[in-house]
Amino acid sequence: MQTRTTNLNGRPGDADSGVALSGNYYPIVSRAYIIDEKEDWQFTILTGHSHGGSSLHDGELEIMVHRRLLRDDGRGVGQALNDTHTVEPKFWLIFANQTESALLHRKGANVLQYPLQSSFLTITNSDVLTSLQTGNNQFSGLVQDLPPNVRILSLKQLNDNTNRIILRLMNPFEVDENPQYSVPVNVDLNTLFDGYTITDIEERTLTTNMPASKNVRPQWNTFSESNSFQKSINNNNSKIKINDDTIITLYPMDIKSYWVTFTA
């Protein structure tokens, strides 16, 4: 008997024959997978954008590619959902054991949903063309490649009148998902970017609208079976003294936001 969950918090998602078919569909933001724990294999589908999905029978995954209705469904729209636009969905399929699948689908989903954008420039000035051909025409803002368990979510200037940027970092791996990458990882912000020196760092809330030190979190009495990465958060230490430390720690599924001030 297959056990279905709609997320890793364990929300039950078993198919219910007593409701309409649409009641057994759930949003798939980036991926869905089936795990056979006895044989230690995992079948994963990565999606290029959000879809509706379901598992109506054991061992099956069903994804809605497109939806068209020729009559009103009585849900309040007042017209048929006869969408005639052409859709070109992209799917990647992964067959691997659970440990390898975690690494593959975490990296693959990022590549599929956020592909590199190519841009081209026509050069007519011969001096500029010669300079590009003979000089150093490569640039990387990072000192080195980031490890798979560190991802830059946001990197943008706070406003036009400052050299302060908004930086969001994430550890995309779940706890116990991969023995190598489902671990806390340290990031030294002062050695992250090439050619820049950090003069000030301040941790902010996720939306960066207030300092993390002013974000008072409710205290809940909770219990977790996986206590390997239990951590205490000291909200009073969001302001990092640059002379002491520029190293931050990202725990599995952590997202941290900062205001970072640079000098070139």
Side-chain angles (χ1 to χ4, degrees):
M1 177 65 180
Q2 177 177 313
T3 300
R4 300 166 177 83
T5 57
T6 59
N7 55 39
L8 290 182
N9 290 325
R11 177 185 172 191
D14 289 347
D16 187 351
S17 59
V19 301
L21 179 62
S22 58
N24 287 307
Y25 265 75
Y26 297 89
I28 297 177
V29 178
S30 61
R31 78 210 74 189
Y33 52 78
I34 295 178
I35 295 176
D36 186 332
E37 294 183 348
K38 182 178 179 181
E39 300 295 334
D40 188 26
W41 70 267
Q42 179 173 320
F43 167 60
T44 307
I45 299 179
L46 302 182
T47 63
H49 60 266
S50 297
H51 289 271
S54 183
S55 178
L56 300 175
H57 303 94
D58 289 358
E60 293 183 4
L61 276 177
E62 180 177 314
I63 295 180
M64 183 184 297
V65 177
H66 197 21
R67 182 188 182 195
R68 291 182 64 186
L69 296 176
L70 299 181
R71 62 179 184 273
D72 179 32
D73 60 1
R75 300 295 182 180
V77 178
Q79 62 183 17
L81 259 173
N82 188 19
D83 187 354
T84 59
H85 290 84
T86 301
V87 295
E88 298 180 353
K90 293 182 180 180
F91 301 101
W92 287 3
L93 307 182
I94 300 174
F95 294 90
N97 61 46
Q98 295 182 60
T99 299
E100 293 177 348
S101 292
L103 177 60
L104 292 173
H105 75 69
R106 291 293 175 190
K107 297 176 64 176
N110 192 36
V111 174
L112 181 59
Q113 293 202 332
Y114 304 98
L116 291 175
Q117 301 296 318
S118 299
S119 58
F120 303 90
L121 177 66
T122 301
I123 299 176
T124 57
N125 188 306
S126 59
D127 292 337
V128 174
L129 182 60
T130 302
S131 176
L132 289 175
Q133 290 175 339
T134 58
N136 183 14
N137 55 9
Q138 296 183 350
F139 170 77
S140 175
L142 298 176
V143 175
Q144 59 186 356
D145 291 342
L146 296 176
N149 53 352
V150 176
R151 178 182 169 192
I152 297 177
L153 293 180
S154 302
L155 180 64
K156 62 181 181 179
Q157 190 175 6
L158 185 62
N159 57 61
D160 295 336
N161 302 317
T162 181
N163 56 348
R164 177 177 290 174
I165 66 167
I166 295 174
L167 174 66
R168 290 188 183 91
L169 297 173
M170 177 184 183
N171 183 338
F173 283 83
E174 291 277 356
V175 174
D176 298 332
E177 195 173 46
N178 182 281
Q180 183 176 359
Y181 297 113
S182 294
V183 295
V185 56
N186 293 327
V187 180
D188 189 347
L189 299 183
N190 214 25
T191 61
L192 187 62
F193 300 103
D194 188 21
Y196 295 90
T197 301
I198 295 176
T199 58
D200 187 67
I201 305 173
E202 182 180 3
E203 184 175 358
R204 309 287 292 186
T205 57
L206 186 60
T207 57
T208 73
N209 64 331
M210 66 179 344
S213 59
K214 295 184 179 180
N215 183 28
V216 180
R217 297 175 179 269
Q219 299 299 314
W220 306 98
N221 295 323
T222 60
F223 172 78
S224 173
E225 294 181 357
S226 179
N227 56 8
S228 302
F229 305 114
Q230 298 250 338
K231 59 184 185 297
S232 60
I233 301 175
N234 186 354
N235 287 329
N236 295 322
N237 291 330
S238 64
K239 189 76 172 181
I240 301 174
K241 295 182 179 179
I242 199 65
N243 294 328
D244 294 339
D245 200 6
T246 59
I247 298 176
I248 65 172
T249 301
L250 294 172
Y251 292 82
M253 295 307 292
D254 253 357
I255 300 178
K256 291 188 175 181
S257 302
Y258 298 89
W259 279 359
V260 181
T261 304
F262 285 103
T263 58

